[in-house]
Structure formats: structure tokens, C-alpha cells
Amino acid sequence: MSTRLRALVLSVALALSVALMGNAAHAAPERPSVPLKGGATQSFTMTLTRKADTPKGVNAPADTIYCGGYLSIPYVNTLYNDVRTEIEVQCTAVVDSIDLYLNLYKDGSTTTTTKRYNPANYGIHYSSAPCQGTTNTYFAGGTAVFTKAGYAGSPLVMNGTTPQVTLAC
């Protein structure tokens, strides 16, 4: 799949992700989207910062919340005889919601999955395709949306794709 087609597919997936989020999608983020890097050894880290006019109570969360995680490169999971990719995220404090959108692409077709954690400071989600005894080309696209009321940068949207890999199973 060409880089241009991958970018188009990811743009459509991101637009669908934002549309699925409902009311949170109507608020313009105060910070642009940042990349979600592919590969288990690469990660992203961004922050949500308490707004000056947000009251601080006895059980108030931290002034700054750091969120990070990764999108795995598709791999053969021999335990379940499938090809799988995961998105895993974590924040240093509880946020109102974490929405994960994950696409696994196999030779141009896609499996799309979503998961919401509400409230949460951790989330993991996977998407898979059954092994068919052939060699195929795979890549993954994912989006993580962190929402925390009263914090600048919320909702924080991160998205990206993995490199293409050829897998036989």
C-alpha cells in the first residue's frame, strides 16, 4: 500500500474516530494532534495541564498529567493463531476518559475496533485478523483520545501508523 493511500486511510479513520466520540469532538483542542509512534520500543508522552480557573480541592488531581504509550507493529500471535496489534496507554493520574481506536490493515482491508475507559489512567486494546496460511502485508493505525475537564490540551488526541510488515502464518 502506498504512503499516500496509508495517509488517506488514516485520515478517514481519524475523522471517523472523532465523529464517534460525540460531544467531545465538537470542542476544538487547544493543542494540535501529536504523533502516536508505531513499535513497542517507541512511545509518546504529552501533558495535560490544569487551567488557572480550575478549582483545586482536597482530592484534586495533579497540576500536570503525563500520558504516554505505544502502538505495536503487527505480529503473529501463535497462541490464538492470528495477526495482532495493540495500543497501550497510561497517564500519571486518572483522566475522565481514554478512548482507543485501532485499525489493523491486511492487504488493504481493515478491522476496526474501539474501546473506552471511563474514568481511567491506563488502557490497552487489541485488534486481530485470523491467520489464513498465506503471506500478507499488514500495518496498524491507532488513535488515543485523553479527556480531562478543566485541563488545557484536553481532549488530547494522538494518532499514527506502524510500518508495513509482511507476515506468514
Side-chain angles (χ1 to χ4, degrees):
M1 182 179 292
S2 73
T3 303
R4 185 175 291 155
L5 182 57
R6 283 177 58 184
L8 176 64
V9 168
L10 181 60
S11 297
V12 170
L14 178 59
L16 177 61
S17 299
V18 171
L20 292 173
M21 287 187 318
N23 291 337
H26 298 295
E30 295 177 0
R31 157 182 319 177
S33 294
V34 295
L36 173 62
K37 297 179 181 177
T41 60
Q42 298 173 326
S43 64
F44 63 83
T45 302
M46 281 300 294
T47 60
L48 298 171
T49 307
R50 180 194 307 276
K51 293 179 183 177
D53 61 349
T54 301
K56 244 183 160 172
V58 175
N59 294 322
D63 287 337
T64 303
I65 300 172
Y66 298 93
C67 298
Y70 72 92
L71 176 64
S72 74
I73 295 172
Y75 64 94
V76 176
N77 180 336
T78 55
L79 182 62
Y80 295 103
N81 194 34
D82 62 7
V83 173
R84 188 171 291 221
T85 186
E86 291 117 12
I87 185 172
E88 183 174 3
V89 298
Q90 187 164 11
C91 296
T92 57
V94 173
V95 295
D96 297 334
S97 66
I98 299 173
D99 294 286
L100 301 176
Y101 305 90
L102 188 56
N103 299 313
L104 176 62
Y105 300 90
K106 180 184 102 179
D107 297 331
S109 62
T110 182
T111 301
T112 303
T113 60
T114 62
K115 179 77 174 181
R116 171 171 265 198
Y117 295 90
N118 187 9
N121 72 331
Y122 174 81
I124 187 168
H125 190 48
Y126 75 92
S127 183
S128 62
C131 288
Q132 299 174 331
T134 60
T135 299
N136 297 288
T137 302
Y138 298 87
F139 77 95
T143 301
V145 181
F146 305 89
T147 304
K148 181 70 173 172
Y151 278 68
S154 177
L156 175 61
V157 179
M158 300 177 182
N159 61 72
T161 60
T162 66
Q164 289 187 37
V165 294
T166 302
L167 301 171
C169 61

